């Protein structure tokens, strides 16, 4: 039986090439008047932070490290701990404060708890920044803030070093590593893997370490990227559980000599299994879209912090010409509140002008003619332009959804709704095992 001749017009059609997505480091850095690259933060701020750490070590006084709960914040905190001990500060003088579930360092309760530990120096890492009173209510306490979240406002009387305006924006662990590396020769050898873990925790496993990021070849010769990434997923797991067990992750990082030790930690392994099961249970929620098609919203109800993971997974699979942002809103994490995480949809990562989640969320809120912005509070639209979120009262969140016109039929001119690749839910992949700040 003869085969039918192939239609030459069909055969000649090539597959539509995939749109190239630039690597994280493929951005133009800011430069000073002499055309020198300003990275990861202004040198003056970096030097002030180094002087603060030297002074802290030499003073031999009680020091409090206040890291954020995720891999980036915890790794940065351990880098500081190891740097201070290398500089001679007794480990018995170093304490850690881990904020409670649903709170932040600016809350009155947390400020009281920090002050109760009677520190002389406080080092806050990766907590996000806003204006306000000093970190603690004691004029004799000196504070250092190391951060990369978008902000131009900080607590009063603090020494501040922020990477947020200096692309490619360094993670807090990477910024901390670059601050601490010149302070002692042991930092590079003993903290390189911590820098890699924190950076992969925020920026993902496919990150290419291109300049101005440091050359981490030696670190990856000692520890494979798989080992680093598996350790990240384990460190991130306990804080995502309903128990919010950040302390177990901190202790595991602090006492491990290398990332391989983390991989066998039973508490971390149990937490990851628990979270993987909850992610799989919650991720099948179908999305609804804003009327303009720019925002996809998935609603879940879980006591676990799985909303950032699910947002990341769906952001890689939903696609349309209009879609820009994927939002996962969790009404079960804190009673009476909605915690939500937003990620830029993969199909929108190369848009011109670039998608800015914080600006987009604030633009929606500004459509309100009452006092919605004030009622949502300071925890609305925090984080990064590419990965933002917030914690707002449930009633106010419903008002926000109404302003977005979520679920309303789009105008015909907007074109077709977002499509999902063949599967009805995102395929399983390693993203669920390690990624993203809430």
């Amino acid at each position: 039986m003869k085969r039918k001749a192939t239609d030459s017009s069909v055969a000649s059609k090539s597959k539509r090439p995939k749109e190239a997505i630039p690597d994280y480091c493929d951005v133009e850095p800011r430069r000073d008047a002499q055309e020198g690259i300003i990275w990861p933060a202004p040198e003056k701020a970096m030097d002030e932070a180094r002087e603060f750490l030297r002074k802290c070590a030499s003073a031999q006084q009680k020091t409090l490290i206040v890291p954020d709960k995720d891999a980036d914040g915890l790794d940065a905190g351990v880098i500081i701990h190891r740097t201070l001990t290398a500089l001679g500060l007794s480990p018995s003088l170093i304490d850690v404060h881990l904020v409670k579930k649903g709170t932040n360092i600016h809350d009155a309760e947390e400020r009281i708890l920090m002050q109760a530990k009677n520190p002389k120096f406080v080092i806050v890492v990766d907590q996000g920044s806003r204006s306000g009173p000093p970190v603690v209510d004691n004029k004799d306490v000196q504070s250092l803030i190391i951060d990369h979240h978008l902000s131009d406002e900080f607590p009063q009387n603090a020494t501040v070093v922020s990477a947020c305006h200096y692309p490619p924006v360094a993670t807090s662990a990477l910024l901390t590593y670059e601050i601490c590396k010149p302070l002692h020769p042991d930092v590079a050898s003993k903290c390189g893997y911590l820098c890699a873990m924190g950076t992969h925790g925020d920026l993902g496993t496919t990150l290419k370490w291109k300049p101005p990021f440091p050359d981490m070849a030696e670190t990856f010769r000692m520890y494979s990227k798989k080992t680093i990434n598996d350790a990240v997923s384990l460190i991130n797991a306990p804080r995502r559980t309903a128990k919010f067990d950040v302390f177990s992750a901190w202790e595991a990082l602090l006492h491990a000599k290398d990332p391989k030790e983390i991989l066998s930690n039973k508490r971390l392994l149990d937490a990851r299994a628990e979270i993987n099961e909850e992610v799989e249970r919650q991720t099948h929620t179908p999305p609804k879209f804003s009327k303009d098609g720019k925002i996809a919203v998935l609603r879940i109800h879980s006591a676990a912090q799985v909303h950032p993971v699910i947002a990341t997974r769906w952001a890689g699979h939903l696609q349309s010409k209009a879609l820009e942002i994927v939002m996962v809103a969790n009404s079960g994490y804190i009673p009476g509140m909605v915690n939500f995480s937003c990620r830029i949809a993969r199909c929108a990562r190369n848009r011109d002008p670039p998608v800015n989640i914080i600006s987009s969320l604030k633009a929606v809120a500004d459509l309100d003619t009452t006092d919605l912005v004030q009622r949502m509070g300071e925890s609305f639209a925090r984080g990064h332009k590419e990965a933002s979120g917030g914690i707002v009262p449930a009633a106010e969140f419903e008002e926000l959804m109404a302003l977005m016109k979520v679920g309303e039929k789009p105008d015909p001119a907007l074109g077709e709704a977002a499509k999902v690749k063949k599967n009805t839910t995102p395929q399983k992949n390693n993203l669920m095992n390690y990624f993203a700040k809430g």
Side-chain angles (χ1 to χ4, degrees):
M1 186 176 180
K2 291 184 179 179
R3 296 181 181 176
K4 290 183 179 179
T6 305
D7 187 333
S8 60
S9 64
V10 175
S12 62
K13 285 182 181 178
S14 59
K15 289 184 178 179
R16 185 178 177 181
K18 288 184 178 179
E19 188 176 8
I21 296 175
D23 292 322
Y24 187 79
C25 293
D26 292 344
V27 293
E28 184 61 31
R30 287 182 63 175
R31 296 177 181 271
D32 58 24
Q34 290 73 43
E35 289 300 306
I37 291 175
I38 306 174
W39 189 88
E43 194 58 37
K44 181 175 183 292
M46 302 273 284
D47 286 340
E48 288 174 352
R50 291 175 187 130
E51 183 56 33
F52 184 101
L53 294 173
R54 289 191 192 98
K55 184 177 180 181
C56 176
S58 62
Q60 293 294 316
Q61 297 285 332
K62 184 74 175 290
T63 299
L64 186 64
I65 301 174
V66 189
D68 192 26
K69 58 191 176 296
D70 66 356
D72 187 32
L74 295 176
D75 280 291
V78 174
I79 292 172
I80 290 169
H81 192 288
R82 291 185 180 177
T83 300
L84 290 174
T85 55
L87 292 173
L89 182 61
S90 171
S92 64
L93 294 172
I94 305 175
D95 201 354
V96 65
H97 177 73
L98 303 169
V99 300
K100 295 179 179 179
K101 181 177 179 178
T103 66
N104 62 69
I105 63 161
H106 308 285
D107 290 346
E109 180 185 5
E110 295 295 340
R111 298 177 71 247
I112 292 170
L113 290 171
M114 287 187 284
Q115 178 57 40
K117 295 189 176 183
N118 197 31
K120 294 299 181 185
F121 297 88
V122 179
I123 303 169
V124 178
V125 196
D126 195 41
Q127 291 282 6
S129 300
R130 64 183 69 166
S131 62
V135 176
V136 295
D137 288 324
N138 185 333
K139 61 182 177 59
D140 296 325
V141 175
Q142 299 179 55
S143 60
L144 169 65
I145 294 174
I146 300 174
D147 200 19
H148 69 142
H149 295 87
L150 185 61
S151 181
D152 292 310
E153 299 178 317
F154 303 92
Q156 296 170 11
N157 305 331
T159 299
V160 176
V161 55
S162 173
C164 74
H165 292 305
Y166 304 94
V169 175
T171 63
S172 290
L174 178 51
L175 174 60
T176 302
Y177 180 71
E178 290 295 301
I179 291 170
C180 294
K181 199 163 47 173
L183 293 176
H184 196 279
D186 285 351
V187 171
S189 60
K190 292 185 178 180
C191 298
Y193 76 88
L194 295 168
C195 169
M197 284 178 61
T199 303
H200 281 207
D202 261 21
L203 302 181
T205 58
T206 58
L207 175 71
K208 294 180 180 177
W209 289 76
K210 298 178 181 179
F213 276 27
D215 182 358
M216 302 297 285
E218 183 59 32
T219 295
F220 290 119
R221 271 195 293 268
M222 294 175 65
Y223 312 109
S224 70
K225 287 188 177 181
K226 184 179 186 308
T227 297
I228 294 290
N229 296 332
D230 285 350
V232 170
S233 79
L234 289 171
I235 291 300
N236 272 333
R239 54 104 174 181
R240 295 195 188 282
T241 64
K243 187 180 176 183
F244 195 68
D245 183 18
V246 183
F247 186 72
S248 289
W250 168 261
E251 285 288 291
L253 262 183
L254 184 63
H255 297 297
K257 294 184 177 66
D258 59 48
K260 294 176 183 177
E261 285 189 25
I262 294 169
L263 303 185
S264 58
N265 186 296
K266 187 178 184 304
R267 169 63 191 126
L268 304 187
L269 289 166
D270 288 345
R272 184 170 67 177
E274 178 185 336
I275 289 304
N276 287 352
E277 182 179 343
E278 181 66 3
V279 168
E280 188 58 32
R281 190 172 74 87
Q282 296 285 350
T283 200
H284 298 278
T285 303
K288 291 185 177 181
F289 297 87
S290 57
K291 186 174 182 178
D292 61 10
K294 292 182 178 181
I295 303 176
V297 181
L298 298 92
R299 307 287 294 263
I300 67 172
H301 187 86
S302 174
Q305 193 191 40
V306 293
H307 36 285
V309 185
I310 296 172
T312 298
R313 292 182 68 180
W314 276 96
H317 293 274
L318 282 172
Q319 55 182 331
S320 80
K321 291 180 180 178
L323 183 64
E324 295 180 351
I325 297 167
V326 174
M327 171 190 287
V328 177
N330 186 355
S331 58
Y333 190 63
I334 300 172
M337 307 293 284
V338 174
N339 291 63
F340 65 93
S341 293
C342 298
R343 300 291 181 266
I344 295 176
R346 182 176 176 81
C347 63
R349 289 181 193 167
N350 209 16
R351 300 269 169 89
D352 187 18
V355 177
N356 183 324
I357 296 175
I358 292 176
S359 294
S360 296
L361 291 173
K362 289 183 175 179
V364 172
D366 286 341
L367 295 173
D368 178 68
T369 56
T370 66
D371 59 347
L372 176 61
V373 173
Q374 288 72 30
R375 285 184 285 117
M376 285 194 295
E378 290 286 335
S379 293
F380 171 69
R382 308 297 301 186
H384 309 278
K385 293 179 288 185
E386 306 84 359
S388 182
I391 309 169
V392 300
E396 280 69 20
F397 184 79
E398 297 306 328
E399 291 183 49
L400 186 69
M401 293 295 97
L403 292 172
M404 289 183 190
K405 300 182 179 180
V406 173
E408 292 189 22
K409 225 173 180 182
D411 296 328
L414 291 175
E416 60 185 75
K419 297 175 181 177
V420 184
K421 295 178 183 178
K422 292 184 180 179
N423 297 336
T424 57
T425 57
Q427 61 185 346
K428 297 176 185 177
N429 55 41
N430 287 335
L431 284 174
M432 71 176 288
N433 293 329
Y434 72 87
F435 191 77
K437 194 166 289 210

